[in-house]
Amino acid sequence: MSGAEIALLVVGAAVAGFVQGLSGFAFGMVAMSIWVWALDPKLAVVMSIAGGLSGQIFAAVRLRRGLQWPLLWPFLAGALVGVPLGVVVLPYVDAVIFKFGLGVTLMVCCSAMLMAQRIPRITRGGRIGDALAGAAGGVMGGLGGFTGVVPSFWCTVRGWDKDTARAVLQNFNLAALSVTFATYVGSGLVTREMWPLFLVVIPALLIPSVLGTRLYVGLSEAAFRRVVLGLLTVSGVVMIVSSVPVLLKR
């Protein structure tokens, strides 16, 4: 790996670590939006899983958010189905079309909610809706480490306060990314050449993650929701911008 690629790996991990520390999710989305321009896609996916998992472990130690089992278990039950499914279908999914479709969905839905005076709330669906959100997060985790996208959106429209949403997202992402990484290792997607690069990614995200968690503590409920929706909107735009040139060449 060249020096420029190592530098890009460090920058992506640092920026994504800060965002994850602030929001409780989004490491994979942010890191991939930076790494996709120069790194091998398979390497970028594995590094996003490893970095996201490391950041979640670190955040769990620092913030010590309570384990709200009644709220969490449906998400985890869904992820247990979704993660293996995502890993299985990974070789057969057109990554560019998937990224473009996800980007359009995030940009349209989240930007509309961001501009609305009142965020719509979903009061129906209950545990079934939570499990479906967890399953979708699991599938997207298996496909590329995006475990928190759908669950974070779902927690927002459920109207949960920031600490409740953060506790669910943090514990869900920690569990889902752990299963995803173990599945990647077991299936051989993590090669011998990739292991030394973890020593580049993990240290690079630690200090930015601390800064992000400190900033999170001072956020109001409304500000936290704007941060989440803003991140999802920007991530959607980045996914579209990075995938359109590839689609036009086909």
Side-chain angles (χ1 to χ4, degrees):
M1 178 173 279
S2 68
E5 290 173 325
I6 292 290
L8 186 67
L9 199 61
V10 170
V11 170
V15 175
F18 174 79
V19 172
Q20 180 171 260
L22 174 63
S23 66
F25 75 107
F27 184 94
M29 291 190 302
V30 176
M32 290 290 284
S33 67
I34 296 173
W35 294 339
V36 72
W37 302 103
L39 300 185
D40 177 76
K42 291 182 179 179
L43 173 63
V45 168
V46 172
M47 291 300 113
S48 73
I49 298 292
L53 176 57
S54 301
Q56 290 296 347
I57 293 173
F58 190 62
V61 173
R62 284 189 56 80
L63 289 178
R64 295 183 177 88
R65 295 291 163 191
L67 180 62
Q68 301 195 34
W69 183 248
L71 294 179
L72 182 61
W73 75 260
F75 289 90
L76 297 182
L80 287 177
V81 177
V83 170
L85 179 61
V87 174
V88 169
V89 303
L90 178 61
Y92 309 102
V93 172
D94 188 314
V96 178
I97 294 178
F98 172 77
K99 188 192 304 180
F100 178 79
L102 177 60
V104 170
T105 302
L106 289 175
M107 183 186 70
V108 173
C109 295
C110 296
S111 61
M113 292 175 65
L114 190 61
M115 291 183 291
Q117 292 184 349
R118 293 183 61 186
I119 296 176
R121 292 189 177 185
I122 295 178
T123 57
R124 298 183 178 182
R127 298 291 178 260
I128 295 177
D130 296 344
L132 291 175
V139 170
M140 293 176 65
L143 289 173
F146 308 130
T147 55
V149 175
V150 175
S152 64
F153 180 80
W154 182 249
C155 289
T156 300
V157 297
R158 288 273 268 168
W160 291 343
D161 63 80
K162 74 165 189 172
D163 286 336
T164 299
R166 176 74 180 230
V168 170
L169 286 174
Q170 185 170 289
N171 289 297
F172 170 79
N173 283 328
L174 180 57
L177 288 170
S178 297
V179 173
T180 303
F181 187 72
T183 305
Y184 272 38
V185 172
S187 62
L189 290 174
V190 182
T191 64
R192 183 180 301 176
E193 292 76 16
M194 293 179 182
W195 287 100
L197 296 177
F198 295 151
L199 299 178
V200 175
V201 170
I202 295 173
L205 65 86
L206 291 182
I207 293 178
S209 179
V210 172
L211 298 176
T213 54
R214 288 183 177 178
L215 184 58
Y216 160 80
V217 173
L219 287 178
S220 66
E221 298 287 344
F224 179 72
R225 290 192 178 94
R226 287 196 295 269
V227 166
V228 171
L229 291 172
L231 285 173
L232 292 173
T233 301
V234 171
S235 297
V237 172
V238 171
M239 289 179 184
I240 294 171
V241 170
S242 63
S243 58
V244 165
V246 180
L247 291 174
L248 293 177
K249 291 180 181 178
R250 292 184 175 180

